[in-house]
Amino acid sequence: MDVKFDRLNDVNGRITVTLEEADYADKVKKQLKNIAKSHAEPGFRPGHTPAGLIQKKYGTAVKYDVINKAVSDALYDYVKENKLPVLGNPVPERNENFDIKDSTFTFVFNVGLAPEFDTHVDKNLTVPYYTIEVTDEMIDNQSNGMRRRMGEQVKGDTVEPDALVKGAIVELDAEGKPLEGGVAQENGILAPKYFKSEEQTKLFEGKHVGDTVVFNPWNTCEGNPTELSSMLNIDKDDVEAHKGDFSMEIKEIIVLRPAELNQEYFDQVFGKDKVHNEEEYRAALKDMIANQLRADSNYRFTIDAKDAILKAIGEIDLPDDILKDYLKMQNEKLTEETAAEEYEKAKPDLVWQIIRDRIAEKLQIKIEEEDIKNVAKLMARNQFAQYGMTSAPEDAIDRLASDILKDKKAHERIIDQTFDMKLYEGINNAVTLDNKTVSVEQFNALFAPAEEA
């Protein structure tokens, strides 16, 4: 067997595979013998079918299979051994003169090659890195939110913004009196904070136990049947008949009291004896927020780094025609026109994939199993943090991470995320950073469309 490669230009090449009869004849004979042993032909016992009959019946198909496999293996081995940077798969040239009866065969494949270029990922490349300033307002908001999540609900005297109001809800007639035969909900519960009408919310502000408030349930939720049926304890189909005013005699007010700034609370948030006073508490909150914002900064870095690298590299050539042919091979429904359209859509991602792989090779980026586990644990910590559990035990984090990795699709996504994280971490270390500290407003403005920025 002879395999020859010809480079036509920077991104196109041709591989020619020539098979002589000696390259495949023995394999054909062996397969035919196996067929004779295992197949029972009419009138013959297995293993006793004449070789001529087996040859006549199966010879052509077996020869096709053996030649096809030999050529495929030769292509794969040649590309691998010679480390050819092939894009897609080799595309065979049509051979109108092919005849399976011949003894010598020549197959020609067009191959697309990844272009050579400098990634420019070094200290000569400058990329901005934005650090978001943590303000006292951010710390206050974080503290208020956490204290509320870990607070407790108690009985109150006055309707506060977050209060739950309990009492008897009664439908009124046009004169403001209880409607005969109307809706009466003895143990109604309202959360004025979530009313869709600010006007209706204000009716309850500052009210006390024993006060009566006239309000309109329909307006509190813009006539939402689900909310109204729950509020008034009626069927969804009946809500249209109850658009008027109701009264509520307030019997109980439940208010939320934020957790106190004491050692018990500090231990709940940050772990045993990690924080001891309000000064340390605010410092720890600042670090927590900074860590949360660092993820945003790193995400912005991926955008700016990619833009800077693409700009530094400039246009790169691809074997467009071969890749379009490869697309058509993958999807026979594509025409020349639609294949060209699909290719143009996919080309930017393909270009970046090539660049990304070249950068990873240059920076020797490798993913270890420990890296994947660490990313899964990071995801687990983030899940716990969403529920206010910022200091979840390590064994709980390990268990959740293990459960996440058991899902095949999640495992594949984490591998991709791990690669990207290590890639951009490598880029971050390789290039020159233009460090900038900005406000959250300035940072958000970076994502505005160009005409708005």
Side-chain angles (χ1 to χ4, degrees):
M1 183 183 302
D2 179 59
V3 182
K4 185 175 67 172
F5 170 70
D6 296 307
R7 181 180 283 275
L8 304 179
N9 54 41
D10 289 343
V11 294
N12 289 281
R14 181 179 292 123
I15 297 177
T16 304
V17 181
T18 302
L19 271 72
E20 302 291 343
E21 189 171 13
D23 297 319
Y24 61 84
D26 288 344
K27 294 177 181 177
V28 171
K29 289 179 182 178
K30 184 177 180 180
Q31 284 201 28
L32 290 174
K33 284 182 179 181
N34 290 335
I35 291 173
K37 291 178 182 178
S38 59
H39 282 60
E41 296 296 327
F44 301 95
R45 288 180 293 126
H48 290 77
T49 305
L53 180 58
I54 295 294
Q55 171 65 40
K56 183 178 180 180
K57 190 170 184 178
Y58 300 104
T60 298
V62 168
K63 188 176 179 181
Y64 266 118
D65 290 343
V66 169
I67 289 174
N68 182 60
K69 186 175 187 311
V71 173
S72 297
D73 290 346
L75 271 174
Y76 176 81
D77 291 343
Y78 186 88
V79 169
K80 182 179 179 181
E81 290 170 7
N82 292 276
K83 298 181 180 180
L84 291 182
V86 174
L87 297 177
N89 279 348
V91 177
E93 287 189 359
R94 182 178 293 276
N95 183 359
E96 301 292 348
N97 299 318
F98 177 82
D99 188 343
I100 193 64
K101 296 176 182 178
D102 292 341
S103 59
T104 301
F105 302 92
T106 299
F107 301 92
V108 178
F109 297 85
N110 293 313
V111 292
L113 305 172
E116 292 295 328
F117 55 87
D118 181 0
T119 65
H120 296 281
V121 177
D122 53 40
K123 291 301 180 182
N124 292 319
L125 183 69
T126 300
V127 180
Y129 187 91
Y130 297 93
T131 298
I132 305 172
E133 181 183 11
V134 180
T135 64
D136 287 338
E137 183 181 1
M138 290 181 186
I139 297 173
D140 290 339
N141 290 337
Q142 183 85 343
S143 177
N144 292 338
M146 295 179 70
R147 289 177 66 193
R148 293 185 66 78
R149 284 199 301 271
M150 297 185 182
E152 61 177 338
Q153 291 183 320
V154 298
K155 290 184 179 181
D157 298 322
T158 306
V159 177
E160 299 176 4
D162 290 336
L164 287 176
V165 183
K166 299 182 179 182
I169 300 175
V170 178
E171 190 171 11
L172 304 177
D173 61 18
E175 297 179 1
K177 297 179 180 179
L179 177 66
E180 185 176 349
V183 173
Q185 166 73 300
E186 184 64 27
N187 298 305
I189 302 177
L190 300 178
K193 175 184 178 180
Y194 298 104
F195 288 172
K196 292 182 173 65
S197 167
E198 185 178 351
E199 179 183 359
Q200 295 295 313
T201 299
K202 287 182 177 180
L203 294 174
F204 287 85
E205 289 180 2
K207 293 297 188 289
H208 303 87
V209 174
D211 288 346
T212 297
V213 179
V214 176
F215 73 110
N216 188 288
W218 182 274
N219 291 339
T220 66
C221 59
E222 298 175 347
N224 184 285
T226 301
E227 293 186 36
L228 277 171
S229 65
S230 175
M231 181 188 300
L232 303 177
N233 195 26
I234 59 176
D235 192 274
K236 289 182 183 180
D237 296 332
D238 296 335
V239 298
E240 288 283 341
H242 305 281
K243 296 183 178 180
D245 288 343
F246 284 65
S247 68
M248 182 180 203
E249 181 187 352
I250 300 176
K251 296 181 178 180
E252 187 177 357
I253 298 171
I254 303 297
V255 295
L256 178 66
R257 288 289 174 257
E260 294 183 13
L261 293 177
N262 55 30
Q263 194 61 48
E264 180 183 1
Y265 168 69
F266 296 152
D267 289 347
Q268 280 184 305
V269 175
F270 295 106
K272 184 72 172 175
D273 291 330
K274 297 289 181 63
V275 169
H276 306 91
N277 53 53
E278 188 170 351
E279 182 181 354
E280 292 180 4
Y281 168 68
R282 291 185 67 83
L285 281 180
K286 185 173 183 179
D287 288 341
M288 176 190 294
I289 297 169
N291 286 330
Q292 293 168 348
L293 294 176
R294 193 170 294 118
D296 295 327
S297 296
N298 289 340
Y299 172 66
R300 182 66 216 185
F301 176 77
T302 66
I303 296 173
D304 293 328
K306 181 178 178 180
D307 288 345
I309 292 168
L310 288 172
K311 184 177 180 180
I313 293 173
E315 291 291 328
I316 63 174
D317 292 327
L318 290 182
D320 297 325
D321 293 337
I322 291 178
L323 292 175
K324 290 175 191 175
D325 287 341
Y326 175 62
L327 269 182
K328 287 190 291 182
M329 287 174 59
Q330 296 293 100
N331 186 350
E332 295 179 355
K333 294 181 180 180
L334 292 177
T335 63
E336 289 284 344
E337 183 178 353
T338 55
E341 291 174 357
E342 290 298 316
Y343 175 68
E344 288 305 317
K345 292 178 185 177
K347 189 173 181 178
D349 287 338
L350 176 58
V351 168
W352 178 245
Q353 182 66 48
I354 294 168
I355 294 172
R356 193 178 79 146
D357 291 346
R358 194 66 55 80
I359 295 171
E361 182 181 357
K362 177 179 180 178
L363 300 180
Q364 298 182 330
I365 303 296
K366 295 180 181 178
I367 299 177
E368 307 293 344
E369 191 62 33
E370 193 64 25
D371 298 321
I372 298 171
K373 289 180 181 177
N374 287 337
V375 173
K377 289 171 70 172
L378 178 62
M379 293 175 64
R381 284 194 179 89
N382 289 339
Q383 285 193 30
F384 280 120
Q386 289 176 358
Y387 298 101
M389 301 171 66
T390 57
S391 57
E394 280 300 313
D395 59 340
I397 291 172
D398 288 338
R399 284 196 300 272
L400 180 55
S402 178
D403 290 340
I404 292 172
L405 288 173
K406 287 177 183 177
D407 183 275
K408 185 177 180 181
K409 290 185 177 180
H411 193 277
E412 291 174 355
R413 286 197 302 271
I414 291 173
I415 290 175
D416 289 338
Q417 291 175 12
T418 304
F419 179 84
D420 278 341
M421 288 174 67
K422 293 200 72 173
L423 178 73
Y424 283 105
E425 181 182 353
I427 294 172
N428 185 294
N429 292 328
V431 301
T432 297
L433 298 182
D434 180 12
N435 289 297
K436 302 180 181 184
T437 299
V438 295
S439 67
V440 68
E441 292 78 15
Q442 291 171 320
F443 183 80
N444 290 336
L446 296 171
F447 295 89
E451 62 272 13
E452 297 179 15

Coordinates of all heavy atoms in Angstrom, one line a residue, residues 151-222:
G151 N -33.5 35.7 59.4 CA -34.3 36.3 60.5 C -35.5 35.4 60.8 O -35.6 34.3 60.4
E152 N -36.4 35.9 61.6 CA -37.6 35.2 62.0 C -38.8 36.0 61.9 O -38.8 37.2 62.0 CB -37.4 34.6 63.5 CG -37.3 35.7 64.5 CD -37.2 35.2 65.9 OE1 -37.7 34.0 66.1 OE2 -36.7 35.8 66.8
Q153 N -40.0 35.3 61.7 CA -41.2 36.0 61.6 C -41.9 36.1 63.0 O -42.0 35.0 63.7 CB -42.2 35.3 60.6 CG -41.7 35.5 59.2 CD -42.7 34.8 58.2 OE1 -43.2 33.8 58.5 NE2 -42.9 35.5 57.1
V154 N -42.3 37.3 63.4 CA -42.9 37.5 64.7 C -44.2 38.3 64.6 O -44.4 39.0 63.5 CB -42.0 38.2 65.7 CG1 -40.7 37.3 65.9 CG2 -41.6 39.5 65.2
K155 N -45.0 38.3 65.6 CA -46.2 39.1 65.6 C -45.8 40.6 65.7 O -45.0 40.9 66.6 CB -47.2 38.7 66.7 CG -47.8 37.4 66.5 CD -48.8 37.0 67.5 CE -49.5 35.7 67.3 NZ -50.5 35.4 68.3
G156 N -46.5 41.5 65.0 CA -46.2 42.9 65.1 C -47.5 43.7 65.3 O -48.6 43.2 65.3
D157 N -47.3 45.0 65.5 CA -48.4 45.9 65.8 C -48.8 46.7 64.6 O -50.0 47.1 64.5 CB -48.1 46.8 67.0 CG -47.8 46.1 68.3 OD1 -48.5 45.1 68.5 OD2 -46.9 46.5 69.0
T158 N -47.8 46.9 63.7 CA -48.1 47.8 62.6 C -47.7 47.1 61.3 O -46.7 46.3 61.2 CB -47.2 49.1 62.7 OG1 -47.5 49.7 64.0 CG2 -47.5 50.0 61.6
V159 N -48.4 47.4 60.2 CA -48.1 46.8 58.9 C -46.9 47.5 58.3 O -46.9 48.6 58.0 CB -49.3 46.9 57.9 CG1 -48.9 46.4 56.5 CG2 -50.6 46.2 58.4
E160 N -45.8 46.7 58.3 CA -44.5 47.1 57.7 C -44.5 46.7 56.2 O -45.3 45.9 55.8 CB -43.4 46.6 58.5 CG -43.4 47.0 60.0 CD -42.3 46.4 60.8 OE1 -41.5 45.6 60.2 OE2 -42.3 46.6 62.0
P161 N -43.5 47.2 55.5 CA -43.4 46.8 54.0 C -43.4 45.4 53.7 O -44.1 45.0 52.7 CB -42.1 47.5 53.6 CG -42.0 48.7 54.5 CD -42.5 48.2 55.8
D162 N -42.8 44.5 54.5 CA -42.7 43.1 54.2 C -43.7 42.3 55.0 O -43.7 41.0 55.1 CB -41.3 42.6 54.5 CG -40.3 43.1 53.5 OD1 -40.7 43.5 52.4 OD2 -39.1 43.2 53.8
A163 N -44.7 42.9 55.7 CA -45.6 42.2 56.6 C -46.6 41.3 55.9 O -47.0 41.6 54.7 CB -46.3 43.2 57.5
L164 N -47.0 40.2 56.6 CA -48.1 39.4 56.2 C -49.3 39.9 57.1 O -49.1 40.1 58.3 CB -47.9 37.9 56.5 CG -46.9 37.2 55.5 CD1 -46.7 35.8 56.0 CD2 -47.4 37.2 54.1
V165 N -50.4 40.1 56.4 CA -51.6 40.6 57.1 C -52.7 39.5 57.1 O -53.1 39.0 56.1 CB -52.2 41.9 56.5 CG1 -53.3 42.4 57.3 CG2 -51.1 42.9 56.3
K166 N -53.2 39.2 58.3 CA -54.2 38.1 58.5 C -55.5 38.8 59.0 O -55.4 39.7 59.8 CB -53.8 37.0 59.4 CG -52.5 36.3 58.9 CD -52.2 35.2 59.9 CE -50.9 34.4 59.4 NZ -50.6 33.3 60.3
G167 N -56.6 38.2 58.5 CA -57.9 38.8 59.0 C -59.1 38.3 58.2 O -59.0 37.5 57.3
A168 N -60.2 38.8 58.5 CA -61.5 38.5 57.8 C -61.7 39.4 56.6 O -61.7 40.6 56.7 CB -62.7 38.6 58.8
I169 N -61.9 38.7 55.4 CA -62.1 39.5 54.2 C -63.5 39.3 53.8 O -64.0 38.2 53.6 CB -61.1 38.9 53.0 CG1 -59.7 39.1 53.5 CG2 -61.4 39.6 51.7 CD1 -58.7 38.5 52.5
V170 N -64.2 40.4 53.5 CA -65.7 40.4 53.3 C -65.9 41.2 52.0 O -65.5 42.4 51.9 CB -66.5 40.9 54.5 CG1 -68.0 41.0 54.1 CG2 -66.2 40.1 55.7
E171 N -66.8 40.7 51.1 CA -67.2 41.4 49.9 C -68.2 42.5 50.3 O -69.1 42.3 51.1 CB -67.7 40.5 48.9 CG -68.0 41.1 47.5 CD -68.3 40.1 46.5 OE1 -68.6 38.9 46.8 OE2 -68.3 40.4 45.3
L172 N -68.1 43.7 49.6 CA -68.9 44.8 49.9 C -69.9 45.1 48.7 O -69.5 44.8 47.6 CB -68.1 46.1 50.2 CG -67.1 45.9 51.4 CD1 -66.3 47.2 51.5 CD2 -67.7 45.6 52.7
D173 N -71.0 45.7 49.1 CA -71.9 46.2 48.0 C -71.6 47.6 47.6 O -70.6 48.2 48.0 CB -73.4 46.1 48.5 CG -73.7 46.9 49.7 OD1 -72.9 47.9 49.9 OD2 -74.7 46.7 50.4
A174 N -72.4 48.2 46.7 CA -72.1 49.5 46.2 C -72.1 50.6 47.2 O -71.4 51.6 47.1 CB -73.1 49.8 45.1
E175 N -72.7 50.3 48.4 CA -72.8 51.3 49.5 C -71.7 51.1 50.5 O -71.7 51.7 51.5 CB -74.2 51.3 50.1 CG -75.3 51.6 49.2 CD -76.7 51.6 49.8 OE1 -76.7 51.2 51.0 OE2 -77.7 51.8 49.1
G176 N -70.8 50.1 50.3 CA -69.8 49.8 51.2 C -70.2 48.9 52.4 O -69.4 48.9 53.4
K177 N -71.3 48.3 52.3 CA -71.8 47.4 53.3 C -71.5 45.9 52.9 O -71.4 45.6 51.7 CB -73.2 47.6 53.6 CG -73.5 49.0 54.1 CD -75.0 49.2 54.3 CE -75.3 50.6 54.8 NZ -76.8 50.8 55.1
P178 N -71.4 45.0 53.9 CA -71.2 43.6 53.5 C -72.3 43.1 52.5 O -73.5 43.4 52.7 CB -71.4 42.8 54.8 CG -70.9 43.9 55.8 CD -71.4 45.2 55.3
L179 N -71.9 42.5 51.4 CA -72.8 42.1 50.4 C -73.5 40.8 50.8 O -72.8 39.8 51.1 CB -72.0 41.8 49.1 CG -72.8 41.3 47.9 CD1 -73.8 42.4 47.4 CD2 -71.9 41.0 46.7
E180 N -74.8 40.8 50.7 CA -75.6 39.6 51.1 C -75.3 38.5 50.2 O -75.5 38.7 48.9 CB -77.1 40.0 51.2 CG -77.9 38.8 51.7 CD -79.4 39.2 51.8 OE1 -79.7 40.4 51.7 OE2 -80.2 38.3 52.0
G181 N -74.9 37.4 50.7 CA -74.5 36.2 49.8 C -73.2 36.4 49.1 O -72.8 35.5 48.3
G182 N -72.4 37.4 49.5 CA -71.1 37.6 48.9 C -70.0 36.8 49.5 O -70.3 35.9 50.4
V183 N -68.8 37.0 49.0 CA -67.7 36.2 49.5 C -67.3 36.6 50.9 O -67.2 37.8 51.2 CB -66.5 36.3 48.5 CG1 -65.2 35.7 49.1 CG2 -66.8 35.8 47.2
A184 N -67.0 35.7 51.7 CA -66.5 36.0 53.1 C -65.4 35.0 53.4 O -65.7 33.8 53.5 CB -67.7 35.9 54.1
Q185 N -64.3 35.5 53.6 CA -63.1 34.6 53.9 C -62.6 35.0 55.3 O -62.1 36.0 55.6 CB -62.0 34.9 52.9 CG -60.6 34.4 53.2 CD -60.5 32.9 53.1 OE1 -61.2 32.2 53.7 NE2 -59.6 32.4 52.2
E186 N -62.9 34.1 56.2 CA -62.7 34.3 57.6 C -61.2 34.4 58.0 O -60.8 35.3 58.8 CB -63.4 33.3 58.5 CG -63.3 33.5 60.0 CD -64.0 34.7 60.5 OE1 -65.0 35.1 59.8 OE2 -63.6 35.3 61.5
N187 N -60.4 33.6 57.4 CA -59.0 33.6 57.7 C -58.1 33.9 56.5 O -57.3 33.1 56.0 CB -58.6 32.2 58.2 CG -59.3 31.9 59.5 OD1 -59.3 32.6 60.5 ND2 -60.0 30.7 59.5
G188 N -58.3 35.1 55.9 CA -57.6 35.5 54.8 C -56.2 35.9 55.1 O -55.9 36.4 56.3
I189 N -55.3 35.8 54.2 CA -53.9 36.2 54.4 C -53.4 37.0 53.1 O -53.6 36.6 52.0 CB -52.9 35.0 54.5 CG1 -53.4 34.1 55.7 CG2 -51.5 35.4 54.7 CD1 -52.5 32.8 55.8
L190 N -52.9 38.2 53.4 CA -52.4 39.1 52.3 C -51.0 39.4 52.5 O -50.5 39.5 53.7 CB -53.3 40.3 52.3 CG -54.8 40.2 52.0 CD1 -55.4 41.6 52.1 CD2 -55.1 39.5 50.7
A191 N -50.3 39.7 51.4 CA -48.9 40.2 51.4 C -48.9 41.4 50.6 O -48.6 41.4 49.4 CB -47.9 39.1 50.9
P192 N -49.2 42.6 51.1 CA -49.3 43.8 50.3 C -48.1 44.2 49.5 O -48.2 44.8 48.5 CB -49.6 44.9 51.4 CG -50.3 44.1 52.5 CD -49.6 42.8 52.5
K193 N -46.9 43.7 50.0 CA -45.7 44.0 49.3 C -45.7 43.5 47.8 O -45.2 44.2 46.9 CB -44.5 43.4 50.0 CG -43.2 43.6 49.3 CD -42.1 42.8 50.0 CE -40.7 43.0 49.2 NZ -39.6 42.3 49.9
Y194 N -46.5 42.4 47.6 CA -46.5 41.8 46.3 C -47.7 42.2 45.4 O -47.9 41.6 44.4 CB -46.4 40.3 46.4 CG -45.1 39.9 47.1 CD1 -45.1 39.4 48.4 CD2 -43.9 39.9 46.4 CE1 -43.9 39.1 49.1 CE2 -42.7 39.5 47.0 CZ -42.7 39.1 48.4 OH -41.6 38.7 49.0
F195 N -48.5 43.1 45.9 CA -49.6 43.6 45.1 C -49.0 44.3 43.8 O -48.0 44.9 43.9 CB -50.4 44.7 45.8 CG -51.3 44.1 46.9 CD1 -51.9 45.0 47.8 CD2 -51.4 42.8 47.1 CE1 -52.7 44.5 48.8 CE2 -52.2 42.3 48.2 CZ -52.9 43.1 49.0
K196 N -49.7 44.1 42.7 CA -49.2 44.7 41.5 C -49.7 46.2 41.4 O -49.2 46.9 40.5 CB -49.8 44.0 40.3 CG -49.2 42.6 40.1 CD -49.7 41.9 38.9 CE -49.0 40.5 38.7 NZ -49.2 39.6 39.7
S197 N -50.5 46.6 42.3 CA -51.0 48.0 42.3 C -50.4 48.7 43.6 O -50.7 48.3 44.7 CB -52.5 48.1 42.4 OG -53.0 49.4 42.8
E198 N -49.6 49.7 43.3 CA -49.0 50.5 44.4 C -50.1 51.2 45.2 O -50.0 51.3 46.5 CB -48.0 51.5 43.9 CG -47.3 52.3 44.9 CD -46.3 53.3 44.3 OE1 -46.1 53.3 43.1 OE2 -45.7 54.1 45.1
E199 N -51.1 51.6 44.6 CA -52.2 52.2 45.3 C -52.9 51.3 46.3 O -53.2 51.7 47.4 CB -53.3 52.7 44.3 CG -54.5 53.4 44.9 CD -55.6 53.7 43.8 OE1 -55.3 53.5 42.7 OE2 -56.6 54.2 44.2
Q200 N -53.1 50.0 45.9 CA -53.6 49.1 46.8 C -52.7 48.7 48.0 O -53.1 48.5 49.1 CB -54.0 47.8 46.1 CG -55.1 47.9 45.0 CD -56.4 48.3 45.7 OE1 -56.8 47.7 46.6 NE2 -57.1 49.3 45.1
T201 N -51.4 48.7 47.7 CA -50.4 48.4 48.7 C -50.4 49.5 49.8 O -50.4 49.2 51.0 CB -49.0 48.4 48.1 OG1 -48.9 47.3 47.2 CG2 -47.9 48.1 49.2
K202 N -50.5 50.8 49.4 CA -50.5 51.9 50.3 C -51.7 51.9 51.3 O -51.6 52.5 52.4 CB -50.4 53.2 49.5 CG -49.1 53.5 48.9 CD -49.1 54.8 48.2 CE -47.7 55.1 47.6 NZ -47.7 56.4 46.9
L203 N -52.8 51.3 50.9 CA -54.0 51.2 51.7 C -53.7 50.5 53.1 O -54.4 50.8 54.1 CB -55.1 50.5 51.0 CG -55.7 51.2 49.8 CD1 -56.7 50.3 49.1 CD2 -56.3 52.6 50.2
F204 N -52.7 49.6 53.0 CA -52.4 48.8 54.2 C -51.2 49.4 55.0 O -51.0 49.0 56.2 CB -52.0 47.4 53.8 CG -53.2 46.6 53.4 CD1 -53.7 46.6 52.1 CD2 -53.9 45.8 54.3 CE1 -54.8 45.9 51.7 CE2 -55.0 45.0 53.9 CZ -55.5 45.1 52.6
E205 N -50.5 50.4 54.5 CA -49.3 50.9 55.1 C -49.7 51.5 56.5 O -50.6 52.4 56.6 CB -48.6 51.9 54.3 CG -47.9 51.3 53.1 CD -47.2 52.3 52.2 OE1 -47.2 53.5 52.6 OE2 -46.6 51.9 51.2
G206 N -49.0 51.1 57.5 CA -49.1 51.8 58.9 C -50.4 51.3 59.6 O -50.6 51.8 60.7
K207 N -51.2 50.4 59.0 CA -52.4 50.0 59.7 C -52.0 49.1 60.9 O -50.9 48.5 60.9 CB -53.3 49.2 58.7 CG -53.9 50.2 57.7 CD -54.8 51.3 58.3 CE -55.5 52.1 57.2 NZ -54.6 52.9 56.5
H208 N -53.0 48.9 61.9 CA -52.7 48.2 63.1 C -53.8 47.1 63.2 O -54.8 47.0 62.5 CB -52.8 49.1 64.3 CG -51.8 50.2 64.2 ND1 -52.2 51.4 63.6 CD2 -50.6 50.4 64.7 CE1 -51.1 52.3 63.7 NE2 -50.1 51.7 64.4
V209 N -53.5 46.2 64.2 CA -54.4 45.1 64.5 C -55.7 45.8 65.0 O -55.7 46.7 65.8 CB -53.9 44.2 65.6 CG1 -54.9 43.2 66.1 CG2 -52.6 43.4 65.1
G210 N -56.8 45.3 64.4 CA -58.1 45.9 64.8 C -58.6 46.9 63.8 O -59.8 47.2 63.7
D211 N -57.7 47.4 62.9 CA -58.1 48.3 61.8 C -58.9 47.6 60.7 O -58.6 46.4 60.5 CB -57.0 49.0 61.2 CG -56.4 50.1 62.2 OD1 -57.1 50.4 63.2 OD2 -55.2 50.6 61.9
T212 N -59.7 48.3 60.0 CA -60.4 47.7 58.8 C -60.0 48.5 57.6 O -60.0 49.7 57.6 CB -61.9 47.8 59.0 OG1 -62.3 47.0 60.1 CG2 -62.6 47.2 57.7
V213 N -59.6 47.7 56.6 CA -59.1 48.3 55.3 C -60.0 47.9 54.2 O -60.4 46.7 54.0 CB -57.7 47.8 55.0 CG1 -57.2 48.5 53.7 CG2 -56.7 48.2 56.1
V214 N -60.5 48.9 53.4 CA -61.3 48.7 52.2 C -60.3 48.7 51.0 O -59.6 49.6 50.8 CB -62.4 49.7 52.0 CG1 -63.1 49.5 50.7 CG2 -63.3 49.7 53.2
F215 N -60.3 47.6 50.3 CA -59.4 47.4 49.2 C -60.1 46.7 48.0 O -61.2 46.2 48.2 CB -58.1 46.7 49.6 CG -58.3 45.2 49.8 CD1 -57.7 44.3 49.0 CD2 -59.0 44.8 50.9 CE1 -57.9 42.9 49.2 CE2 -59.1 43.4 51.2 CZ -58.6 42.5 50.3
N216 N -59.4 46.6 46.9 CA -60.0 45.9 45.7 C -59.1 44.7 45.3 O -58.0 44.9 44.7 CB -60.1 46.9 44.6 CG -60.9 46.2 43.4 OD1 -60.4 45.4 42.7 ND2 -62.1 46.7 43.2
P217 N -59.5 43.5 45.7 CA -58.6 42.3 45.3 C -58.3 42.2 43.8 O -57.2 41.8 43.5 CB -59.5 41.1 45.8 CG -60.4 41.7 46.9 CD -60.7 43.1 46.4
W218 N -59.3 42.5 43.0 CA -59.1 42.4 41.5 C -57.9 43.3 41.1 O -57.0 42.9 40.4 CB -60.4 42.9 40.8 CG -60.3 42.8 39.3 CD1 -59.8 43.7 38.5 CD2 -60.7 41.7 38.5 NE1 -59.8 43.3 37.2 CE2 -60.4 42.0 37.2 CE3 -61.2 40.4 38.7 CZ2 -60.6 41.2 36.1 CZ3 -61.5 39.6 37.7 CH2 -61.2 39.9 36.4
N219 N -57.8 44.5 41.7 CA -56.8 45.4 41.3 C -55.4 45.0 41.9 O -54.4 45.4 41.3 CB -57.1 46.9 41.7 CG -58.3 47.4 41.0 OD1 -58.6 47.0 39.9 ND2 -58.9 48.4 41.5
T220 N -55.4 44.3 43.0 CA -54.1 43.9 43.6 C -53.3 43.0 42.7 O -52.1 42.9 42.8 CB -54.3 43.2 45.0 OG1 -55.0 41.9 44.7 CG2 -55.1 44.1 45.9
C221 N -54.0 42.2 41.8 CA -53.3 41.2 41.0 C -53.7 41.3 39.5 O -53.5 40.4 38.8 CB -53.6 39.8 41.5 SG -55.3 39.4 41.5
E222 N -54.3 42.5 39.2 CA -54.7 42.7 37.8 C -55.6 41.6 37.2 O -55.5 41.1 36.1 CB -53.5 42.8 36.9 CG -52.6 44.0 37.2 CD -51.3 44.1 36.4 OE1 -51.0 43.1 35.7 OE2 -50.6 45.1 36.5

